[in-house]
Amino acid sequence: MKVSIKPGRCSGEVCAPPSKSYAHRMLICAALADGESRIRGLARSEDMLATLDCIAALGAEYKLDGDTVTVKGGKNRTAEGAVFPCRESGSTLRFMLPIAAACGESARFTGTDRLMERGVGIYEAIFAEKGIGIKKDGGSIELSGRLTSGEYTFRGDVSSQFVTGLLFALPLLEGGSVV
């Protein structure tokens, strides 16, 4: 096959691929906010569907229409023992663990075996200091106890997902906190 490229003026439209990292965060912000939010340009990936399932477990309602999702948030209360189906999304798991701990006394996170093997050690250490139990049982992680305000300290080389999870959760609590 031969292709000829000749000088000329470029024109057209290009859509940048959506950022999965930003999309997770926007969906969670919408779920935590009062009222209705509309997010456009969402890619329907397994990770995005996991986050949508988890914000529903948190109490938010959503409607997916093409690449646009409308989220009705502000309820932010999970039923005791709520199940957060994270599929294989490490981002979803890391963002939602502290939010669930801020909103209820117990929660269960499910996902693939591979996801459950991935590290949440930062939260295990932080939560143990605050009296929150994390029990790993094969295909799930069980949380028991409620997150409280206060001081949260951890190494500076951890993934921003752990910091973001705390930054989502701590404003839901009574009293001030320091990270």
Side-chain angles (χ1 to χ4, degrees):
M1 170 194 266
K2 288 187 177 184
V3 176
S4 296
I5 300 174
K6 298 178 183 176
R9 183 181 169 118
C10 292
S11 65
E13 291 183 17
V14 175
C15 291
S19 166
K20 191 168 69 166
S21 179
Y22 289 164
H24 284 295
R25 288 166 169 87
M26 287 188 288
L27 290 171
I28 294 167
C29 285
L32 297 176
D34 289 332
E36 187 174 283
S37 302
R38 190 167 293 111
I39 301 164
R40 292 182 180 88
L42 187 77
R44 280 191 197 219
S45 68
E46 285 295 312
D47 284 6
M48 289 303 101
L49 295 174
T51 296
L52 288 168
D53 288 345
C54 287
I55 66 170
L58 189 62
E61 297 173 11
Y62 72 87
K63 180 182 175 197
L64 192 54
D65 184 18
D67 72 345
T68 301
V69 64
T70 303
V71 179
K72 291 181 184 176
K75 295 179 183 173
N76 309 326
R77 297 294 174 252
T78 60
E80 293 309 313
V83 177
F84 291 81
C86 296
R87 302 179 189 212
E88 197 170 349
S89 176
S91 299
T92 303
L93 177 64
R94 290 182 187 124
F95 294 145
M96 297 303 295
L97 275 166
I99 296 169
C103 293
E105 294 287 333
S106 66
R108 183 170 171 248
F109 288 80
T110 62
T112 64
D113 290 342
R114 184 172 184 275
L115 175 65
M116 294 299 129
E117 292 169 0
R118 291 168 73 178
V120 293
I122 301 299
Y123 285 144
E124 288 176 296
I126 291 171
F127 289 177
E129 291 176 13
K130 301 293 183 181
I132 298 170
I134 292 185
K135 179 182 168 192
K136 293 181 180 180
D137 184 18
S140 69
I141 295 174
E142 303 277 341
L143 275 184
S144 60
R146 188 178 285 267
L147 196 66
T148 57
S149 58
E151 189 170 310
Y152 289 80
T153 304
F154 45 88
R155 297 185 333 258
D157 64 348
V158 301
S159 166
S160 66
Q161 294 172 353
F162 293 105
V163 178
T164 301
L166 284 171
L167 292 176
F168 282 140
L170 295 175
L172 302 173
L173 305 173
E174 294 291 325
S177 295
V178 175
V179 176

PDB file of all heavy atoms in Angstrom, residues 9-42:
ATOM      1  N   ARG A   9      -3.427  22.477   4.520  1.00  0.00           N
ATOM      2  CA  ARG A   9      -3.901  23.005   5.798  1.00  0.00           C
ATOM      3  C   ARG A   9      -4.653  21.907   6.550  1.00  0.00           C
ATOM      4  O   ARG A   9      -5.519  21.234   5.979  1.00  0.00           O
ATOM      5  CB  ARG A   9      -4.822  24.188   5.534  1.00  0.00           C
ATOM      6  CG  ARG A   9      -5.307  24.829   6.789  1.00  0.00           C
ATOM      7  CD  ARG A   9      -6.244  25.983   6.470  1.00  0.00           C
ATOM      8  NE  ARG A   9      -6.873  26.401   7.702  1.00  0.00           N
ATOM      9  CZ  ARG A   9      -6.734  27.592   8.225  1.00  0.00           C
ATOM     10  NH1 ARG A   9      -6.032  28.502   7.602  1.00  0.00           N
ATOM     11  NH2 ARG A   9      -7.311  27.890   9.356  1.00  0.00           N
ATOM     12  N   CYS A  10      -4.327  21.731   7.811  1.00  0.00           N
ATOM     13  CA  CYS A  10      -5.004  20.743   8.644  1.00  0.00           C
ATOM     14  C   CYS A  10      -6.325  21.309   9.137  1.00  0.00           C
ATOM     15  O   CYS A  10      -6.420  22.489   9.465  1.00  0.00           O
ATOM     16  CB  CYS A  10      -4.138  20.380   9.849  1.00  0.00           C
ATOM     17  SG  CYS A  10      -2.648  19.491   9.426  1.00  0.00           S
ATOM     18  N   SER A  11      -7.313  20.457   9.215  1.00  0.00           N
ATOM     19  CA  SER A  11      -8.596  20.868   9.781  1.00  0.00           C
ATOM     20  C   SER A  11      -9.309  19.635  10.312  1.00  0.00           C
ATOM     21  O   SER A  11      -8.952  18.510   9.983  1.00  0.00           O
ATOM     22  CB  SER A  11      -9.448  21.583   8.735  1.00  0.00           C
ATOM     23  OG  SER A  11      -9.791  20.679   7.705  1.00  0.00           O
ATOM     24  N   GLY A  12     -10.299  19.869  11.132  1.00  0.00           N
ATOM     25  CA  GLY A  12     -11.078  18.772  11.692  1.00  0.00           C
ATOM     26  C   GLY A  12     -11.197  18.907  13.192  1.00  0.00           C
ATOM     27  O   GLY A  12     -10.834  19.927  13.770  1.00  0.00           O
ATOM     28  N   GLU A  13     -11.730  17.882  13.799  1.00  0.00           N
ATOM     29  CA  GLU A  13     -11.919  17.856  15.246  1.00  0.00           C
ATOM     30  C   GLU A  13     -11.270  16.614  15.810  1.00  0.00           C
ATOM     31  O   GLU A  13     -11.283  15.559  15.179  1.00  0.00           O
ATOM     32  CB  GLU A  13     -13.407  17.821  15.600  1.00  0.00           C
ATOM     33  CG  GLU A  13     -14.128  19.099  15.282  1.00  0.00           C
ATOM     34  CD  GLU A  13     -15.586  19.032  15.727  1.00  0.00           C
ATOM     35  OE1 GLU A  13     -15.930  18.155  16.543  1.00  0.00           O
ATOM     36  OE2 GLU A  13     -16.355  19.865  15.253  1.00  0.00           O
ATOM     37  N   VAL A  14     -10.712  16.764  16.966  1.00  0.00           N
ATOM     38  CA  VAL A  14     -10.114  15.648  17.671  1.00  0.00           C
ATOM     39  C   VAL A  14     -10.653  15.669  19.090  1.00  0.00           C
ATOM     40  O   VAL A  14     -10.655  16.716  19.738  1.00  0.00           O
ATOM     41  CB  VAL A  14      -8.570  15.752  17.694  1.00  0.00           C
ATOM     42  CG1 VAL A  14      -7.972  14.638  18.536  1.00  0.00           C
ATOM     43  CG2 VAL A  14      -8.006  15.735  16.291  1.00  0.00           C
ATOM     44  N   CYS A  15     -11.124  14.553  19.537  1.00  0.00           N
ATOM     45  CA  CYS A  15     -11.565  14.435  20.933  1.00  0.00           C
ATOM     46  C   CYS A  15     -10.489  13.710  21.715  1.00  0.00           C
ATOM     47  O   CYS A  15     -10.093  12.599  21.358  1.00  0.00           O
ATOM     48  CB  CYS A  15     -12.871  13.654  21.011  1.00  0.00           C
ATOM     49  SG  CYS A  15     -14.264  14.537  20.325  1.00  0.00           S
ATOM     50  N   ALA A  16     -10.020  14.345  22.758  1.00  0.00           N
ATOM     51  CA  ALA A  16      -9.039  13.702  23.627  1.00  0.00           C
ATOM     52  C   ALA A  16      -9.734  12.573  24.373  1.00  0.00           C
ATOM     53  O   ALA A  16     -10.894  12.700  24.765  1.00  0.00           O
ATOM     54  CB  ALA A  16      -8.472  14.710  24.614  1.00  0.00           C
ATOM     55  N   PRO A  17      -9.055  11.461  24.564  1.00  0.00           N
ATOM     56  CA  PRO A  17      -9.678  10.382  25.333  1.00  0.00           C
ATOM     57  C   PRO A  17      -9.956  10.857  26.752  1.00  0.00           C
ATOM     58  O   PRO A  17      -9.170  11.611  27.325  1.00  0.00           O
ATOM     59  CB  PRO A  17      -8.649   9.258  25.312  1.00  0.00           C
ATOM     60  CG  PRO A  17      -7.410   9.825  24.745  1.00  0.00           C
ATOM     61  CD  PRO A  17      -7.718  11.151  24.143  1.00  0.00           C
ATOM     62  N   PRO A  18     -11.086  10.455  27.317  1.00  0.00           N
ATOM     63  CA  PRO A  18     -11.409  10.902  28.668  1.00  0.00           C
ATOM     64  C   PRO A  18     -10.409  10.355  29.684  1.00  0.00           C
ATOM     65  O   PRO A  18      -9.865   9.270  29.512  1.00  0.00           O
ATOM     66  CB  PRO A  18     -12.803  10.339  28.918  1.00  0.00           C
ATOM     67  CG  PRO A  18     -13.048   9.333  27.865  1.00  0.00           C
ATOM     68  CD  PRO A  18     -12.091   9.583  26.750  1.00  0.00           C
ATOM     69  N   SER A  19     -10.180  11.117  30.723  1.00  0.00           N
ATOM     70  CA  SER A  19      -9.277  10.706  31.787  1.00  0.00           C
ATOM     71  C   SER A  19     -10.031   9.846  32.792  1.00  0.00           C
ATOM     72  O   SER A  19     -10.978  10.309  33.437  1.00  0.00           O
ATOM     73  CB  SER A  19      -8.711  11.931  32.504  1.00  0.00           C
ATOM     74  OG  SER A  19      -8.094  11.546  33.708  1.00  0.00           O
ATOM     75  N   LYS A  20      -9.620   8.604  32.913  1.00  0.00           N
ATOM     76  CA  LYS A  20     -10.246   7.700  33.873  1.00  0.00           C
ATOM     77  C   LYS A  20     -10.036   8.220  35.297  1.00  0.00           C
ATOM     78  O   LYS A  20     -10.947   8.179  36.126  1.00  0.00           O
ATOM     79  CB  LYS A  20      -9.640   6.304  33.693  1.00  0.00           C
ATOM     80  CG  LYS A  20     -10.352   5.219  34.429  1.00  0.00           C
ATOM     81  CD  LYS A  20      -9.898   3.843  33.988  1.00  0.00           C
ATOM     82  CE  LYS A  20      -8.484   3.565  34.418  1.00  0.00           C
ATOM     83  NZ  LYS A  20      -8.104   2.150  34.319  1.00  0.00           N
ATOM     84  N   SER A  21      -8.856   8.744  35.559  1.00  0.00           N
ATOM     85  CA  SER A  21      -8.533   9.268  36.878  1.00  0.00           C
ATOM     86  C   SER A  21      -9.472  10.413  37.267  1.00  0.00           C
ATOM     87  O   SER A  21     -10.007  10.450  38.378  1.00  0.00           O
ATOM     88  CB  SER A  21      -7.074   9.735  36.890  1.00  0.00           C
ATOM     89  OG  SER A  21      -6.733  10.269  38.129  1.00  0.00           O
ATOM     90  N   TYR A  22      -9.665  11.350  36.351  1.00  0.00           N
ATOM     91  CA  TYR A  22     -10.575  12.471  36.617  1.00  0.00           C
ATOM     92  C   TYR A  22     -12.019  11.990  36.718  1.00  0.00           C
ATOM     93  O   TYR A  22     -12.788  12.470  37.553  1.00  0.00           O
ATOM     94  CB  TYR A  22     -10.483  13.525  35.520  1.00  0.00           C
ATOM     95  CG  TYR A  22      -9.216  14.326  35.486  1.00  0.00           C
ATOM     96  CD1 TYR A  22      -8.890  15.069  34.362  1.00  0.00           C
ATOM     97  CD2 TYR A  22      -8.318  14.355  36.546  1.00  0.00           C
ATOM     98  CE1 TYR A  22      -7.720  15.817  34.304  1.00  0.00           C
ATOM     99  CE2 TYR A  22      -7.151  15.089  36.499  1.00  0.00           C
ATOM    100  CZ  TYR A  22      -6.853  15.822  35.370  1.00  0.00           C
ATOM    101  OH  TYR A  22      -5.704  16.556  35.316  1.00  0.00           O
ATOM    102  N   ALA A  23     -12.395  11.055  35.849  1.00  0.00           N
ATOM    103  CA  ALA A  23     -13.779  10.592  35.825  1.00  0.00           C
ATOM    104  C   ALA A  23     -14.181   9.950  37.148  1.00  0.00           C
ATOM    105  O   ALA A  23     -15.275  10.207  37.660  1.00  0.00           O
ATOM    106  CB  ALA A  23     -13.995   9.626  34.659  1.00  0.00           C
ATOM    107  N   HIS A  24     -13.315   9.088  37.717  1.00  0.00           N
ATOM    108  CA  HIS A  24     -13.616   8.508  39.035  1.00  0.00           C
ATOM    109  C   HIS A  24     -13.898   9.618  40.038  1.00  0.00           C
ATOM    110  O   HIS A  24     -14.891   9.586  40.754  1.00  0.00           O
ATOM    111  CB  HIS A  24     -12.403   7.725  39.577  1.00  0.00           C
ATOM    112  CG  HIS A  24     -12.162   6.392  38.974  1.00  0.00           C
ATOM    113  ND1 HIS A  24     -13.025   5.333  39.103  1.00  0.00           N
ATOM    114  CD2 HIS A  24     -11.117   5.930  38.253  1.00  0.00           C
ATOM    115  CE1 HIS A  24     -12.526   4.277  38.497  1.00  0.00           C
ATOM    116  NE2 HIS A  24     -11.364   4.615  37.961  1.00  0.00           N
ATOM    117  N   ARG A  25     -13.011  10.594  40.071  1.00  0.00           N
ATOM    118  CA  ARG A  25     -13.117  11.667  41.052  1.00  0.00           C
ATOM    119  C   ARG A  25     -14.376  12.515  40.828  1.00  0.00           C
ATOM    120  O   ARG A  25     -15.042  12.903  41.786  1.00  0.00           O
ATOM    121  CB  ARG A  25     -11.848  12.520  41.018  1.00  0.00           C
ATOM    122  CG  ARG A  25     -10.630  11.810  41.620  1.00  0.00           C
ATOM    123  CD  ARG A  25      -9.326  12.523  41.281  1.00  0.00           C
ATOM    124  NE  ARG A  25      -8.174  12.032  42.031  1.00  0.00           N
ATOM    125  CZ  ARG A  25      -7.416  11.015  41.673  1.00  0.00           C
ATOM    126  NH1 ARG A  25      -7.679  10.354  40.546  1.00  0.00           N
ATOM    127  NH2 ARG A  25      -6.390  10.636  42.410  1.00  0.00           N
ATOM    128  N   MET A  26     -14.698  12.793  39.563  1.00  0.00           N
ATOM    129  CA  MET A  26     -15.910  13.580  39.277  1.00  0.00           C
ATOM    130  C   MET A  26     -17.166  12.832  39.707  1.00  0.00           C
ATOM    131  O   MET A  26     -18.088  13.440  40.281  1.00  0.00           O
ATOM    132  CB  MET A  26     -15.979  13.928  37.792  1.00  0.00           C
ATOM    133  CG  MET A  26     -14.990  14.996  37.375  1.00  0.00           C
ATOM    134  SD  MET A  26     -15.224  15.574  35.679  1.00  0.00           S
ATOM    135  CE  MET A  26     -14.654  14.182  34.727  1.00  0.00           C
ATOM    136  N   LEU A  27     -17.232  11.542  39.442  1.00  0.00           N
ATOM    137  CA  LEU A  27     -18.405  10.762  39.834  1.00  0.00           C
ATOM    138  C   LEU A  27     -18.570  10.753  41.351  1.00  0.00           C
ATOM    139  O   LEU A  27     -19.684  10.911  41.857  1.00  0.00           O
ATOM    140  CB  LEU A  27     -18.294   9.328  39.306  1.00  0.00           C
ATOM    141  CG  LEU A  27     -18.426   9.161  37.799  1.00  0.00           C
ATOM    142  CD1 LEU A  27     -18.069   7.735  37.385  1.00  0.00           C
ATOM    143  CD2 LEU A  27     -19.831   9.522  37.331  1.00  0.00           C
ATOM    144  N   ILE A  28     -17.475  10.577  42.071  1.00  0.00           N
ATOM    145  CA  ILE A  28     -17.555  10.543  43.528  1.00  0.00           C
ATOM    146  C   ILE A  28     -17.926  11.916  44.079  1.00  0.00           C
ATOM    147  O   ILE A  28     -18.767  12.021  44.981  1.00  0.00           O
ATOM    148  CB  ILE A  28     -16.245   9.997  44.128  1.00  0.00           C
ATOM    149  CG1 ILE A  28     -16.081   8.521  43.729  1.00  0.00           C
ATOM    150  CG2 ILE A  28     -16.234  10.168  45.645  1.00  0.00           C
ATOM    151  CD1 ILE A  28     -14.716   7.943  43.990  1.00  0.00           C
ATOM    152  N   CYS A  29     -17.344  12.969  43.532  1.00  0.00           N
ATOM    153  CA  CYS A  29     -17.726  14.328  43.960  1.00  0.00           C
ATOM    154  C   CYS A  29     -19.215  14.562  43.729  1.00  0.00           C
ATOM    155  O   CYS A  29     -19.901  15.129  44.593  1.00  0.00           O
ATOM    156  CB  CYS A  29     -16.913  15.382  43.213  1.00  0.00           C
ATOM    157  SG  CYS A  29     -15.215  15.538  43.787  1.00  0.00           S
ATOM    158  N   ALA A  30     -19.720  14.127  42.591  1.00  0.00           N
ATOM    159  CA  ALA A  30     -21.146  14.289  42.282  1.00  0.00           C
ATOM    160  C   ALA A  30     -22.006  13.520  43.280  1.00  0.00           C
ATOM    161  O   ALA A  30     -23.059  14.000  43.711  1.00  0.00           O
ATOM    162  CB  ALA A  30     -21.431  13.836  40.849  1.00  0.00           C
ATOM    163  N   ALA A  31     -21.569  12.324  43.661  1.00  0.00           N
ATOM    164  CA  ALA A  31     -22.322  11.520  44.623  1.00  0.00           C
ATOM    165  C   ALA A  31     -22.336  12.151  46.002  1.00  0.00           C
ATOM    166  O   ALA A  31     -23.324  12.055  46.727  1.00  0.00           O
ATOM    167  CB  ALA A  31     -21.734  10.110  44.696  1.00  0.00           C
ATOM    168  N   LEU A  32     -21.247  12.812  46.372  1.00  0.00           N
ATOM    169  CA  LEU A  32     -21.153  13.426  47.695  1.00  0.00           C
ATOM    170  C   LEU A  32     -21.809  14.797  47.761  1.00  0.00           C
ATOM    171  O   LEU A  32     -22.160  15.266  48.844  1.00  0.00           O
ATOM    172  CB  LEU A  32     -19.682  13.531  48.121  1.00  0.00           C
ATOM    173  CG  LEU A  32     -18.937  12.208  48.287  1.00  0.00           C
ATOM    174  CD1 LEU A  32     -17.469  12.460  48.602  1.00  0.00           C
ATOM    175  CD2 LEU A  32     -19.584  11.334  49.344  1.00  0.00           C
ATOM    176  N   ALA A  33     -21.971  15.438  46.609  1.00  0.00           N
ATOM    177  CA  ALA A  33     -22.555  16.786  46.555  1.00  0.00           C
ATOM    178  C   ALA A  33     -24.076  16.719  46.662  1.00  0.00           C
ATOM    179  O   ALA A  33     -24.699  15.742  46.248  1.00  0.00           O
ATOM    180  CB  ALA A  33     -22.157  17.466  45.251  1.00  0.00           C
ATOM    181  N   ASP A  34     -24.660  17.766  47.196  1.00  0.00           N
ATOM    182  CA  ASP A  34     -26.115  17.890  47.182  1.00  0.00           C
ATOM    183  C   ASP A  34     -26.571  18.214  45.768  1.00  0.00           C
ATOM    184  O   ASP A  34     -25.870  18.909  45.030  1.00  0.00           O
ATOM    185  CB  ASP A  34     -26.569  19.011  48.129  1.00  0.00           C
ATOM    186  CG  ASP A  34     -26.385  18.642  49.594  1.00  0.00           C
ATOM    187  OD1 ASP A  34     -26.438  17.442  49.915  1.00  0.00           O
ATOM    188  OD2 ASP A  34     -26.167  19.551  50.407  1.00  0.00           O
ATOM    189  N   GLY A  35     -27.735  17.730  45.407  1.00  0.00           N
ATOM    190  CA  GLY A  35     -28.324  18.089  44.121  1.00  0.00           C
ATOM    191  C   GLY A  35     -27.907  17.170  42.992  1.00  0.00           C
ATOM    192  O   GLY A  35     -27.497  16.035  43.202  1.00  0.00           O
ATOM    193  N   GLU A  36     -28.026  17.724  41.785  1.00  0.00           N
ATOM    194  CA  GLU A  36     -27.802  16.937  40.574  1.00  0.00           C
ATOM    195  C   GLU A  36     -26.573  17.452  39.827  1.00  0.00           C
ATOM    196  O   GLU A  36     -26.397  18.660  39.693  1.00  0.00           O
ATOM    197  CB  GLU A  36     -29.043  17.042  39.678  1.00  0.00           C
ATOM    198  CG  GLU A  36     -29.016  16.149  38.477  1.00  0.00           C
ATOM    199  CD  GLU A  36     -30.331  16.185  37.715  1.00  0.00           C
ATOM    200  OE1 GLU A  36     -31.313  15.545  38.174  1.00  0.00           O
ATOM    201  OE2 GLU A  36     -30.370  16.864  36.671  1.00  0.00           O
ATOM    202  N   SER A  37     -25.763  16.536  39.358  1.00  0.00           N
ATOM    203  CA  SER A  37     -24.572  16.868  38.566  1.00  0.00           C
ATOM    204  C   SER A  37     -24.641  16.113  37.252  1.00  0.00           C
ATOM    205  O   SER A  37     -25.133  14.986  37.200  1.00  0.00           O
ATOM    206  CB  SER A  37     -23.298  16.449  39.305  1.00  0.00           C
ATOM    207  OG  SER A  37     -23.213  17.065  40.556  1.00  0.00           O
ATOM    208  N   ARG A  38     -24.129  16.728  36.205  1.00  0.00           N
ATOM    209  CA  ARG A  38     -24.078  16.080  34.889  1.00  0.00           C
ATOM    210  C   ARG A  38     -22.628  16.051  34.429  1.00  0.00           C
ATOM    211  O   ARG A  38     -21.962  17.083  34.394  1.00  0.00           O
ATOM    212  CB  ARG A  38     -24.943  16.837  33.876  1.00  0.00           C
ATOM    213  CG  ARG A  38     -25.114  16.092  32.568  1.00  0.00           C
ATOM    214  CD  ARG A  38     -26.215  16.679  31.686  1.00  0.00           C
ATOM    215  NE  ARG A  38     -27.530  16.475  32.302  1.00  0.00           N
ATOM    216  CZ  ARG A  38     -28.311  17.450  32.802  1.00  0.00           C
ATOM    217  NH1 ARG A  38     -27.928  18.700  32.745  1.00  0.00           N
ATOM    218  NH2 ARG A  38     -29.473  17.178  33.336  1.00  0.00           N
ATOM    219  N   ILE A  39     -22.149  14.870  34.074  1.00  0.00           N
ATOM    220  CA  ILE A  39     -20.781  14.682  33.625  1.00  0.00           C
ATOM    221  C   ILE A  39     -20.828  14.132  32.214  1.00  0.00           C
ATOM    222  O   ILE A  39     -21.455  13.097  31.967  1.00  0.00           O
ATOM    223  CB  ILE A  39     -20.022  13.715  34.565  1.00  0.00           C
ATOM    224  CG1 ILE A  39     -20.023  14.272  35.993  1.00  0.00           C
ATOM    225  CG2 ILE A  39     -18.601  13.472  34.057  1.00  0.00           C
ATOM    226  CD1 ILE A  39     -19.648  13.271  37.050  1.00  0.00           C
ATOM    227  N   ARG A  40     -20.163  14.836  31.304  1.00  0.00           N
ATOM    228  CA  ARG A  40     -20.149  14.421  29.902  1.00  0.00           C
ATOM    229  C   ARG A  40     -18.779  13.866  29.532  1.00  0.00           C
ATOM    230  O   ARG A  40     -17.770  14.236  30.109  1.00  0.00           O
ATOM    231  CB  ARG A  40     -20.472  15.613  29.005  1.00  0.00           C
ATOM    232  CG  ARG A  40     -21.894  16.094  29.143  1.00  0.00           C
ATOM    233  CD  ARG A  40     -22.186  17.262  28.179  1.00  0.00           C
ATOM    234  NE  ARG A  40     -23.549  17.711  28.310  1.00  0.00           N
ATOM    235  CZ  ARG A  40     -23.974  18.637  29.167  1.00  0.00           C
ATOM    236  NH1 ARG A  40     -23.122  19.219  29.974  1.00  0.00           N
ATOM    237  NH2 ARG A  40     -25.245  18.978  29.215  1.00  0.00           N
ATOM    238  N   GLY A  41     -18.756  13.002  28.528  1.00  0.00           N
ATOM    239  CA  GLY A  41     -17.506  12.461  28.019  1.00  0.00           C
ATOM    240  C   GLY A  41     -17.007  11.256  28.802  1.00  0.00           C
ATOM    241  O   GLY A  41     -15.827  10.924  28.749  1.00  0.00           O
ATOM    242  N   LEU A  42     -17.894  10.586  29.503  1.00  0.00           N
ATOM    243  CA  LEU A  42     -17.516   9.432  30.302  1.00  0.00           C
ATOM    244  C   LEU A  42     -17.335   8.211  29.398  1.00  0.00           C
ATOM    245  O   LEU A  42     -18.206   7.900  28.590  1.00  0.00           O
ATOM    246  CB  LEU A  42     -18.599   9.144  31.344  1.00  0.00           C
ATOM    247  CG  LEU A  42     -18.282   8.069  32.364  1.00  0.00           C
ATOM    248  CD1 LEU A  42     -17.338   8.645  33.410  1.00  0.00           C
ATOM    249  CD2 LEU A  42     -19.551   7.592  33.031  1.00  0.00           C
TER     250      LEU A  42
END
